[in-house]
């Protein structure tokens, strides 16, 4: 019933479904089964970067640009939770009040609940809820905590990494981690001193990467999100990456792999191997090899 109401555009039903997913309710398997026919169609875009680079402001303006093209948009904004109380302010959506009354936009803040990697454990299933509710595009804004926040790349079709002038020197641009997952680099606050140097550093880092014929080369876009400048260029870069994914059959391949990885949780092999590792009957490396063999068919 909740899925049917969500399909009809009832925001309360969408909210209730995500709450059930977050709380790990016993109905989650049934919800996932009911949503299955409607998932896999939305474009999932991840936004990550250090605190203060303007992720929420950029997300707000990107929603505006997507709505101008008639897209129905869902937003999941992940906020950090306290390691002491478990609480979270859930304040990212404060910057997105421009769309509060738009029925074509659904915005949900989620607590990370101690989950590392920039997302919460419930984020992938929450994306499926928004897909099932008819969203054409789902924007996932990560916590924004540091260089190892790369989990969003395993969820999103296109990953935006936001940077701002003055956040570091050229050495930061060649460190492994978050910069390696970007499909599009967004240099926000481009009216500040040092923006040109930041763009050059990123372009230099991209030039160092080895790419075969036809492989995607990350785009670099300048924005001033607070004034809405450059957002159309970001949307164009996302569309360009989407076209590349489709042309090279990469979108289908990635989604099939995600589905197969997700199916491990519902099967028997993962719990069985975990029990064998715990009992000493096998070792973690052999168990991992067995899982990889299953994923590769």
């Amino acid at each position: 019933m909740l899925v049917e109401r969500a399909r009809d555009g009832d925001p309360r039903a969408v909210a209730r479904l995500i709450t059930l997913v977050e709380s790990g309710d016993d109905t989650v398997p049934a919800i996932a089964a009911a949503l299955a026919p409607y998932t896999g169609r939305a474009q999932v875009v991840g936004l990550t970067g250090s605190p203060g680079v303007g992720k929420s402001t950029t997300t707000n303006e990107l929603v505006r640009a997507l709505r101008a093209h008639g897209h129905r948009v869902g937003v999941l904004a992940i906020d950090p939770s306290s390691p002491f109380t478990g609480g979270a302010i859930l304040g990212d959506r404060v910057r997105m009040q421009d769309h509060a009354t738009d029925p074509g936009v659904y915005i949900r803040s989620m607590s990370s609940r101690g989950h590392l990697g920039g997302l919460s454990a419930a984020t992938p299933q929450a994306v499926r809820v928004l897909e099932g509710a008819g969203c054409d595009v789902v924007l996932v804004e990560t916590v924004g905590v540091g260089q190892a926040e790369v989990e969003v790349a395993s969820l999103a079709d296109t990953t935006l990494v936001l940077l701002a002038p003055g956040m570091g020197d050229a050495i930061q641009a060649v460190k492994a981690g978050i910069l390696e997952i970007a499909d599009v680099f967004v240099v926000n606050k481009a009216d500040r001193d040092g923006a040109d140097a930041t763009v050059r550093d990123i372009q230099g880092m991209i030039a160092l990467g080895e790419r075969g014929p036809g492989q995607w080369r990350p785009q670099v876009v300048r924005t001033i999100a607070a004034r809405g400048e450059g957002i159309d260029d970001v949307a164009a870069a996302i569309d360009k990456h989407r076209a590349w994914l489709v042309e090279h059959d990469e979108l289908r391949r990635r989604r099939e792999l995600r589905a197969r990885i997700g199916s491990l949780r519902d099967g028997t092999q993962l719990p069985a191997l975990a029990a064998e590792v715990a009992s000493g009957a096998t070792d973690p490396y052999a168990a991992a090899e067995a899982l990889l063999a299953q994923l590769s068919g």
Side-chain angles (χ1 to χ4, degrees), residues 117-226:
L119 303 179
S120 75
T123 303
Q125 191 60 46
V127 168
R128 297 184 185 97
V129 171
L130 293 180
E131 286 183 304
C135 292
D136 305 310
V137 183
V138 179
L139 305 178
V140 180
E141 180 191 331
T142 71
V143 170
V145 291
Q147 293 169 322
E149 190 181 285
V150 297
E151 188 175 350
V152 67
S154 67
L155 175 66
D157 301 319
T158 300
T159 302
L160 310 185
V161 172
L162 276 70
L163 307 103
M167 300 297 289
D169 55 21
I171 297 299
Q172 297 295 334
V174 295
K175 285 185 177 180
I178 191 172
L179 297 184
E180 294 179 302
I181 67 171
D183 299 306
V184 179
F185 287 101
V186 179
V187 179
N188 192 31
K189 305 181 182 181
D191 53 338
R192 291 186 176 182
D193 292 339
D196 291 341
T198 301
V199 170
R200 284 196 303 269
D201 291 341
I202 295 302
Q203 289 175 334
M205 184 271 291
I206 293 172
L208 292 174
E210 295 183 4
R211 293 177 181 81
Q215 286 189 306
W216 174 255
R217 181 183 176 87
Q219 308 286 291
V220 184
V221 182
R222 300 171 186 243
T223 62
I224 307 174

Side-chain angles (χ1 to χ4, degrees), residues 269-279 287:
Q269 188 178 22
L270 181 57
L273 286 170
E276 289 181 19
V277 171
S279 67

Side-chain angles (χ1 to χ4, degrees), residues 261 263-276 287 291 294:
I261 292 173
S263 69
L264 292 176
R265 293 191 297 268
D266 303 324
T268 60
Q269 188 178 22
L270 181 57
L273 286 170
E276 289 181 19
L291 288 177
Q294 179 182 340

Side-chain angles (χ1 to χ4, degrees), residues 6-265:
R7 292 288 299 166
D8 292 336
D10 183 352
R12 291 183 178 84
V14 177
R16 181 61 180 157
L17 285 171
I18 295 179
T19 297
L20 290 171
V21 166
E22 280 194 284
S23 61
D25 192 83
D26 292 341
T27 60
V28 170
I31 291 171
L35 288 170
Y38 312 111
T39 59
R41 303 172 188 175
Q43 183 177 9
V44 183
V45 179
L47 297 93
T48 189
S50 300
V53 296
K55 293 189 299 297
S56 296
T57 304
T58 300
T59 300
N60 183 68
E61 294 302 319
L62 194 53
V63 169
R64 194 189 310 279
L66 291 167
R67 290 294 292 145
H69 287 86
H71 293 296
R72 183 175 176 83
V73 184
V75 179
L76 295 174
I78 318 301
D79 275 353
S81 55
S82 168
F84 302 103
T85 66
I89 295 176
L90 302 179
D92 281 344
R93 60 183 173 186
V94 170
R95 300 183 181 90
M96 306 179 203
Q97 290 303 303
D98 296 348
H99 312 288
T101 58
D102 186 346
V105 179
Y106 183 88
I107 300 172
R108 172 73 174 233
S109 286
M110 301 177 69
S111 168
S112 65
R113 300 195 177 194
H115 187 78
L116 301 178
L119 303 179
S120 75
T123 303
Q125 191 60 46
V127 168
R128 297 184 185 97
V129 171
L130 293 180
E131 286 183 304
C135 292
D136 305 310
V137 183
V138 179
L139 305 178
V140 180
E141 180 191 331
T142 71
V143 170
V145 291
Q147 293 169 322
E149 190 181 285
V150 297
E151 188 175 350
V152 67
S154 67
L155 175 66
D157 301 319
T158 300
T159 302
L160 310 185
V161 172
L162 276 70
L163 307 103
M167 300 297 289
D169 55 21
I171 297 299
Q172 297 295 334
V174 295
K175 285 185 177 180
I178 191 172
L179 297 184
E180 294 179 302
I181 67 171
D183 299 306
V184 179
F185 287 101
V186 179
V187 179
N188 192 31
K189 305 181 182 181
D191 53 338
R192 291 186 176 182
D193 292 339
D196 291 341
T198 301
V199 170
R200 284 196 303 269
D201 291 341
I202 295 302
Q203 289 175 334
M205 184 271 291
I206 293 172
L208 292 174
E210 295 183 4
R211 293 177 181 81
Q215 286 189 306
W216 174 255
R217 181 183 176 87
Q219 308 286 291
V220 184
V221 182
R222 300 171 186 243
T223 62
I224 307 174
R227 301 207 295 255
E229 297 179 13
I231 300 300
D232 288 339
D233 295 334
V234 175
I238 294 171
D239 288 342
K240 186 175 180 179
H241 184 246
R242 172 81 172 194
W244 178 86
L245 289 171
V246 173
E247 179 185 352
H248 292 80
D249 202 30
E250 187 72 9
L251 186 63
R252 179 194 61 80
R253 188 186 70 81
R254 290 186 186 185
R255 291 188 171 183
E256 284 186 359
L257 181 59
R258 288 178 198 141
R260 292 166 78 177
I261 292 173
S263 69
L264 292 176
R265 293 191 297 268

